[in-house]
Amino acid sequence: MPTIYLSPSTQEFNTYVTGNSEEYYANLIADAMVPYLRASNIDFIRNDPGGTVSDSIANSNANAIDFHLAIHSNAAPPNLAGMLRGPDVYYYRDSSRGRAAAEIIANNLKLIYPLPELVTPVPTTTLAELRRTKAPSVLVEVAYHDNYEDATWIINNIEAIGENLALSVADILGVPFIEP
């Protein structure tokens, strides 16, 4: 049975324009994934919401993980606050498996995000959760929590986002996606 590491944001200080935090909504999305993962026979280990990114990386690396998925929402730089939209799907630039996974996730998110042309896979070398994990990894910025339309989209689509990410994980792992 394949195993993934679910790493929803631990950033309780990142507040949505509508209220509540990035940590709160990322954990709701992870919760929504669980029934689909179980039905699809995908085992998972989940990070500690009270932990840090370093804790999540260490826990992921201490286990036999086939794929590491970090779930976040984004915020624009101060000069663009509230103006940017769209999911960004980050992968470690030098990881072909990370890139393939990011493309699967981005393509599936395009099916549910209202502006599919804004869904982008993004290579990076700076994000620790991608650079330091042993397993292929992706960090999904589901949308911008400082943009009212994006924040509202996330809040109103928790279940659909969770299902979509679980579908992507099944595809990445090469296992059948099964509805619970």
Side-chain angles (χ1 to χ4, degrees), residues 40-100:
S40 300
N41 293 312
I42 299 169
D43 200 8
F44 61 92
I45 297 171
R46 197 156 160 176
N47 70 347
D48 175 2
T52 65
V53 171
S54 292
D55 295 334
S56 296
I57 293 166
N59 192 19
S60 177
N61 289 342
N63 290 281
I65 302 299
D66 297 294
F67 181 64
H68 181 105
L69 178 63
I71 304 167
H72 289 254
S73 54
N74 218 341
N79 62 320
L80 296 172
M83 292 188 252
L84 300 180
R85 295 193 66 188
D88 290 322
V89 185
Y90 289 92
Y91 64 94
Y92 187 66
R93 180 196 66 199
D94 299 334
S95 170
S96 59
R97 291 174 65 201
R99 178 181 180 170

